[in-house]
Amino acid sequence: MDRNQDTQDDADGNRRLRTRIRDGDADTFANLFDAYARSVYNHAYRLNGDWSLAEDIVSLTFLEAWRLRERIAADGGSLRPWLLGIATNVTRTRRRAARRHASAMARLPREGTVPDFADDIVGRIDDAAQLGQVHTALAALRRPEREILALCVWDDLDYAEAARTLGIPVGTVRSRLSRARRKLAAALESGSGSAQTGNAPVRVPQPLSSSAVLRKEASS
């Protein structure tokens, strides 16, 4: 009985939160930012291996969340999976932009060579001796496999939440995660990464505050 009441209270609380954000309540959105900015930051770092880029993705994710707030369903659970989905899409967009930029730069006449983008990423990772080999193994995975691994293993989403976040069937989540785990384990064991795969050191992010995000949105 009490458990059912707690479940109903949680559902009512989530419904009120969603309604307030959909209505453009800046204070409620600020609370959402405070609750999930670090989670979004860690997810972005795991996808990119770059502290600075992860901070940019946090800001862009919450700007996009504010822009899309009216699309939030009235009923549902935590908005964390929704935010992680936006962060994943923002990361994809940034990668496409980086590829277009690199392609354009490659066509310019110049002396010397363009530094490899992967080298730049690795050079920014704290404790590269420990993390570099793990990121090499992760980089060998296909993008959909990296995204599933980040959502289900590090962000602790269940199969259904990950499926909703990426807009794919639950069965696809299971198969991609299984492949990703097998490939990662094989790569690490074969010498691609001999580092431990435990929790990487997480630097406390310093992204834009929620008020700064809203000011940036208002000025754009």
Side-chain angles (χ1 to χ4, degrees):
M1 191 78 167
D2 291 341
R3 182 178 299 176
N4 291 336
Q5 184 61 49
D6 290 342
T7 301
Q8 183 60 45
D9 290 344
D10 289 343
D12 291 342
N14 285 327
R15 191 176 298 112
R16 287 193 296 271
L17 173 70
R18 287 166 174 262
T19 299
R20 289 170 182 166
I21 291 178
R22 288 177 64 186
D23 291 343
D25 188 318
D27 290 337
T28 302
F29 189 81
N31 292 335
L32 183 76
F33 180 94
D34 292 340
Y36 296 121
R38 180 163 181 167
S39 181
V40 172
Y41 177 85
N42 287 339
H43 178 66
Y45 170 73
R46 288 161 185 150
L47 291 179
N48 295 282
D50 186 318
W51 300 117
S52 179
L53 181 56
E55 291 173 355
D56 290 343
I57 289 173
V58 170
S59 299
L60 292 171
T61 294
F62 281 92
L63 280 170
E64 187 70 358
W66 180 255
R67 188 180 70 82
L68 299 175
R69 64 189 182 278
E70 293 181 357
R71 300 185 187 179
I72 297 174
D75 294 317
S78 166
L79 287 172
R80 180 171 173 264
W82 177 65
L83 291 169
L84 295 180
I86 293 176
T88 300
N89 289 332
V90 168
T91 299
R92 292 172 180 172
T93 300
R94 289 296 296 265
R95 285 174 176 163
R96 287 194 294 268
R99 285 196 296 269
R100 288 195 296 268
H101 176 74
S103 177
M105 292 298 293
R107 292 193 295 269
L108 294 176
R110 67 197 183 285
E111 295 182 358
T113 59
V114 177
D116 192 300
F117 184 66
D119 291 340
D120 182 59
I121 289 177
V122 172
R124 296 187 185 191
I125 297 177
D126 292 341
D127 195 13
Q130 178 185 1
L131 296 180
Q133 293 173 325
V134 175
H135 282 295
T136 297
L138 288 172
L141 300 177
R142 295 172 57 243
R143 175 181 56 77
E145 294 167 348
R146 289 197 303 272
E147 293 173 352
I148 287 294
L149 196 68
L151 290 171
C152 292
V153 176
W154 286 304
D155 293 317
D156 202 28
L157 267 61
D158 61 30
Y159 294 140
E161 289 174 327
R164 287 194 298 271
T165 296
L166 297 176
I168 59 178
V170 171
T172 303
V173 172
R174 292 177 181 272
S175 61
R176 287 182 183 175
L177 182 60
S178 178
R179 286 197 303 270
R181 283 173 166 163
R182 287 199 306 269
K183 289 181 180 179
L184 186 60
L188 293 173
E189 187 170 339
S190 68
S192 298
S194 58
Q196 295 295 319
T197 58
N199 291 332
V202 177
R203 190 182 66 177
V204 177
Q206 300 293 331
L208 288 174
S209 65
S210 56
S211 59
V213 168
L214 296 181
R215 286 198 302 272
K216 186 172 182 180
E217 169 69 12
S219 64
S220 61

